[in-house]
Amino acid sequence: MSEQQSLAKGALSALESTIMGIAGTSPAFTVAVTTGTIYAAIGPLSVGSLLYSGVIMLGIMFAFAKLNRVMPDAGAAFAWVGSVFGPTWGFFAGWGLMVASVVFMVSATLPAATATLLLFAPDQVENTPLVTAIAAVWLTLVTAIVLRGIKHASTAQVIVTVIEAAIVVALLGAAVIWFGATPAHAPALSWIAPGSFTFKSFADGAIVSVFFYWGWDVTMNLGEETEPEDASKGAFWAMINLIVFFVILMTVVLIALSDKEIAAANTNVLYAISAKIFPAPWSYLVVLATVLSTVGALETQILQFSRSMYSMARAGVLHPRYAAVHQEWQTPWAATLVIWALGLVLLFAASYMPSVAAILESSIEAIGLQICFYMGLTGYASAWHFRGLLRTDMREAFTHVVMPLIGALFMTLVAAWVIPTFSPIVLTVGIGGLALGFIPLSIGWWRNARGGALPA
């Protein structure tokens, strides 16, 4: 191992970047575990919420893509917000992503383990120690793949995503054929009509929709390992594909399942559709897709966390030890091992401490708040950095300033609206997790002051 501060520059193509962006949202997993949440909040308006939230999220995507072209950095939001608004705001932008990644990794490994048992030992799905052990194995396996190099991670991601996509697309086609003539919910324009929404229903749906789309920005954290133009293209095409996919998939869910079936399916919406169409064991293919989707999401979150920590350590905000790069694999091995260790600790705590388990049950809302925070800051950073275009080039200003500002305002308003409705548990994880950042930030100031450096 080496302290050489160099990642594998230019290792990923635009296509690989696009696949990383799509896989980062873990489509099958997200739909399976989150559909019940958004449908309980706003019913059939879920379709419109995903459409409009996706279009607004495009503004944030443009902010990331445009900033990446002028300042490619593994820290992405951390580096850009810090460059525009100062190091403290930059630190908390990076910290917000890192906290969200840790919470998500834990909340994802347990469902992945449960789904694995559903495939191979369905009578053991309530065996908590076994579920925890399998979750730890998945976490360790994915971490090992990420450690071995970005090309290994990319190859694994491409294989996983292609298999997942094939299964889900086949399921969607079968559902349309099977239920099209007698839909549980007849498709209606009211599902997407702007007039169908109140501000409350739009905000309630948006905080969950934000979670649906979260993860595509891994393409930007891999900006140093991708040509800047390719990373930006990857982010754009990932977002376009995701908007289309989520809107279609949510529509098919409503066509195939009744209100009662959606509620009963809980976190297995896709399996509920599959079980109505295919006999076992074919119905379990969608469970495989969910497992693969979850594994893909774990990989991208490890990548995002480790690259952000690496960049923050390289800049002197965190201890330099976390900027260590493996000489052969060209990966930030120290930062990668940190999220693996944190994941294991919280994973086992969640299994044996009811209070932690309750926290993880509220992870979607908490993560949604943290996403709004760091993505909103990035949108504001893009609008301010490129504000001069408003006087010189209105066409460029639309994608560099106007859309990012709209996206940032959207994130801010959604967060401001839902915070008063959050339970103490969600507030503890969502806001408390961000507040914990003052500890490493203060330590970094102290360390740099002792070393004679300016506070980073």
Side-chain angles (χ1 to χ4, degrees):
M1 297 179 184
S2 167
E3 304 300 312
Q4 174 188 344
Q5 310 301 300
S6 178
L7 299 175
K9 298 186 182 302
L12 300 182
S13 66
L15 177 60
E16 289 173 309
S17 181
T18 301
I19 291 175
M20 280 287 191
I22 293 173
T25 66
S26 54
F29 168 80
T30 300
V31 170
V33 304
T34 314
T35 295
T37 301
I38 192 171
Y39 191 79
I42 58 174
L45 292 179
S46 304
V47 178
S49 179
L50 288 171
L51 173 61
Y52 297 126
S53 296
V55 172
I56 296 173
M57 183 68 83
L58 272 176
I60 300 297
M61 183 281 299
F62 279 122
F64 275 77
K66 302 307 180 183
L67 289 168
N68 178 72
R69 283 176 173 166
V70 297
M71 293 182 280
D73 193 289
F78 154 73
W80 305 328
V81 173
S83 175
V84 176
F85 294 135
T88 300
W89 284 109
F91 171 85
F92 279 104
W95 184 259
L97 166 62
M98 289 166 60
V99 172
S101 295
V102 172
V103 175
F104 175 80
M105 283 196 24
V106 179
S107 61
T109 48
L110 291 174
T114 302
T116 301
L117 286 173
L118 189 61
L119 287 174
F120 299 104
D123 58 322
Q124 296 294 316
V125 292
E126 300 299 329
N127 185 333
T128 300
L130 183 58
V131 169
T132 303
I134 293 175
V137 170
W138 272 122
L139 179 58
T140 303
L141 176 62
V142 175
T143 302
I145 293 173
V146 173
L147 270 175
R148 286 301 304 273
I150 190 59
K151 289 303 292 185
H152 286 82
S154 175
T155 300
Q157 195 67 274
V158 169
I159 294 172
V160 164
T161 304
V162 168
I163 296 173
E164 172 196 347
I167 294 173
V168 174
V169 169
L171 176 64
L172 293 181
V176 170
I177 295 172
W178 195 270
F179 302 108
T182 56
H185 299 86
L189 287 176
S190 61
W191 293 358
I192 60 173
S196 299
F197 288 89
T198 62
F199 183 81
K200 181 182 185 304
S201 63
F202 187 79
D204 289 345
I207 193 66
V208 184
S209 297
V210 164
F211 181 82
F212 266 82
Y213 287 106
W214 178 51
W216 59 267
D217 52 312
V218 67
T219 57
M220 302 292 99
N221 291 103
L222 299 175
E224 291 186 38
E225 295 155 275
T226 315
E227 293 299 330
E229 190 69 26
D230 287 343
S232 297
K233 287 179 181 177
F236 176 78
W237 288 112
M239 274 301 302
I240 295 299
N241 278 278
L242 287 168
I243 292 171
V244 173
F245 177 80
F246 282 136
V247 169
I248 292 176
L249 208 154
M250 182 58 69
T251 301
V252 172
V253 168
L254 296 185
I255 290 173
L257 301 178
S258 65
D259 290 355
K260 185 177 180 180
E261 288 171 326
I262 292 174
N266 194 11
T267 59
N268 294 289
V269 171
L270 293 181
Y271 177 70
I273 298 174
S274 181
K276 290 183 68 174
I277 302 174
F278 304 108
W282 299 107
S283 58
Y284 284 94
L285 278 176
V286 76
V287 179
L288 173 62
T290 304
V291 172
L292 294 176
S293 179
T294 308
V295 169
L298 287 173
E299 180 182 300
T300 55
Q301 288 311 307
I302 293 172
L303 287 169
Q304 285 195 280
F305 179 100
S306 62
R307 269 55 178 178
S308 294
M309 176 172 269
Y310 159 79
S311 178
M312 294 168 77
R314 182 177 59 184
V317 176
L318 298 177
H319 196 284
R321 72 167 65 94
Y322 303 120
V325 174
H326 195 280
Q327 186 174 17
E328 178 184 354
W329 301 335
Q330 293 183 279
T331 55
W333 63 270
T336 304
L337 291 179
V338 168
I339 190 170
W340 171 73
L342 287 173
L344 287 181
V345 170
L346 293 182
L347 176 63
F348 283 97
S351 298
Y352 297 105
M353 296 175 60
S355 60
V356 179
I359 287 175
L360 295 178
E361 289 174 3
S362 303
S363 62
I364 291 176
E365 290 87 354
I367 290 173
L369 183 60
Q370 291 153 356
I371 295 168
C372 286
F373 178 77
Y374 85 85
M375 285 193 170
L377 279 175
T378 308
Y380 288 125
S382 177
W384 185 253
H385 181 75
F386 294 111
R387 66 191 184 280
L389 291 173
L390 291 169
R391 297 188 300 270
T392 60
D393 190 336
M394 283 304 298
R395 181 177 178 180
E396 287 288 290
F398 182 71
T399 55
H400 291 63
V401 180
V402 177
M403 287 196 69
L405 182 59
I406 292 173
L409 289 171
F410 166 74
M411 295 287 183
T412 303
L413 290 173
V414 166
W417 176 263
V418 299
I419 282 176
T421 69
F422 280 162
S423 68
I425 291 176
V426 175
L427 290 175
T428 299
V429 178
I431 297 179
L434 291 173
L436 280 176
F438 281 106
I439 297 175
L441 178 65
S442 299
I443 293 173
W445 280 342
W446 176 77
R447 183 178 57 252
N448 287 320
R450 287 189 63 192
L454 292 173

